[in-house]
């Protein structure tokens, strides 16, 4: 039996231990803990990586999203359209600004915001569209941006799962007015604690974001606007600066693991593997399959030593916290269908081909065994 964790941050740390330790020690020596040198250095490197003019480091992906909306003066009375199929932080950022989230169901093939349902969600109160590059697959940005421009709307990216991806050759983060990244430890580029960043080409907005994250001050004790304390920590910036040059290689290793899964799961009845849109570079933050007998398969993998996850088990519109939005079960059938049968398999750069083969073989055995019981058979026949 193999033991395969869902993510393995230790393996990556050990591969870069000397450089990371030196970068952290450097900050400790300099004691420039708040907006120190490494913050500016990382921001410059990350903006260059994303092909944008500016990057502004903040304390989380959630803060990056919220501060983008605030920098564009989005608040009470405004509507922001986003994906029904996303992590709660996307929607929290909208409601915490006092704006109203308007959800759009997922495309049944890519699981990202369905551009065909976008125009119907636009009202005179709509200010912006906030697609999410969910699981690491860039959203269908061309139709989204075309519709937005036609209606005079802003477009932002929730790129918290999309670091380094490309859409029609262009980098994620450079596809909209401003993009939010998370550096939560398990993300494709992860800090050793919380962290986030906004990237944009808009100088005025970049300037506002620098004020908003730092108590509204440019010069100490001179407060131009009412701001927040949402700064990126210098130690985290030093870790991120050290890890960034490895990101493309790590994403390539994730894609290799995904290709291994794709090959080995192909043809197993009742297992739907991810579909990647044309001319899109998926960075596989998550490798999500669909299967009708999901809970039993998850249990079987667990018994075989394989950790899995559900992203996400309850859609936002059915969460207690969002009862106020007035949505009902049945409003977003694709998103609800996904919640019922998705399963995230382990994926990270250090996942070996042998490990993928073991996971695939366990799934194969599970499906074969359940096909021998009539109840499971009727389920697999129906898909
Ligand atoms: C992780 C994540 C966030 C929030 O990032 P934090 O750094 O945890 O605040 C937002 N949106 C999506 C889609 C995410 O996956």
């Amino acid at each position: 039996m193999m033991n395969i964790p869902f993510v393995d941050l230790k393996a990556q740390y050990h591969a870069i231990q000397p450089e990371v330790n030196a970068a952290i020690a450097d900050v400790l020596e300099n004691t420039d803990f708040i907006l120190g040198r490494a913050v500016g250095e990382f921001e410059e490197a990350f903006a260059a990586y994303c092909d944008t003019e500016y990057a502004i480091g903040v304390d989380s992906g959630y803060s990056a999203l919220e501060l983008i909306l605030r920098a564009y003066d989005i608040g009470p009375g405004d509507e922001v359209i986003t994906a029904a199929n996303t992590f709660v932080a996307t929607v929290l950022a909208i409601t915490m600004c006092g704006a109203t989230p308007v959800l759009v169901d997922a495309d049944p093939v890519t699981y990202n915001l369905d551009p065909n349902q976008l125009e119907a969600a636009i009202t005179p109160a709509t200010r912006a569209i906030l697609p999410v590059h969910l699981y690491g697959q860039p959203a269908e940005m061309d139709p989204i941006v075309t519709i937005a421009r036609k209606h005079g709307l802003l477009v932002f990216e929730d790129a918290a799962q999309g670091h380094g991806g490309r859409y029609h050759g262009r980098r994620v983060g450079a596809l909209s007015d401003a993009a939010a990244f998370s550096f939560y430890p398990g993300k494709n580029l992860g800090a050793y604690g919380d962290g986030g960043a906004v990237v944009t080409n808009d100088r005025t907005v970049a300037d506002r974001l620098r004020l908003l994250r730092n108590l509204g001050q440019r010069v100490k004790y001179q407060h131009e606007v009412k701001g927040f304390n949402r700064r990126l920590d210098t130690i985290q910036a030093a870790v991120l600066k050290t890890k960034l040059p490895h990101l493309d290689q790590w994403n390539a290793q994730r894609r290799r693991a995904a290709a291994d899964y794709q090959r080995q799961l192909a043809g197993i009845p009742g297992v739907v593997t991810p579909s990647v849109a044309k001319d899109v570079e998926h960075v596989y933050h998550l490798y999500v399959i669909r299967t009708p007998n999901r809970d039993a398969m998850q249990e079987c993998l667990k018994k075989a030593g394989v950790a899995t996850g559900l992203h996400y088990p309850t859609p936002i519109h059915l969460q207690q916290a969002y009862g106020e939005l007035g949505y009902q079960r049945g409003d977003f059938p694709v998103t609800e269908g996904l919640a019922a049968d998705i399963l995230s398999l382990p994926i990270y750069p250090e996942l070996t081909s042998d490990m993928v083969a073991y996971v695939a073989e366990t799934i194969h055995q599970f499906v074969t065994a359940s096909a021998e019981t009539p109840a499971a058979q009727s389920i697999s026949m129906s898909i």
Side-chain angles (χ1 to χ4, degrees), residues 174-230:
L175 306 169
S176 65
D177 295 293
F181 286 88
S182 164
F183 305 125
Y184 182 85
K187 299 292 163 88
N188 289 33
L189 178 62
Y192 290 165
D194 274 311
V198 177
V199 299
T200 182
N201 289 320
D202 185 328
R203 189 155 68 91
T204 311
V205 164
D207 192 55
R208 281 209 73 190
L209 284 162
R210 286 183 206 284
L211 290 175
L212 288 174
R213 74 166 172 188
N214 190 25
L215 310 167
Q217 63 190 357
R218 190 184 317 266
V219 176
K220 206 163 188 181
Y221 307 131
Q222 301 300 313
H223 304 277
E224 295 176 35
V225 296
K226 294 186 207 72
F228 304 84
N229 182 348
R230 304 282 185 81

Side-chain angles (χ1 to χ4, degrees), residues 284-305:
Y284 292 99
H285 172 60
L286 295 167
Y287 187 87
V288 179
I289 62 166
R290 302 186 71 171
T291 184
N293 217 354
R294 190 264 316 276
D295 292 346
M297 183 186 286
Q298 185 172 34
E299 193 51 37
C300 167
L301 285 162
K302 189 176 163 199
K303 285 202 181 109

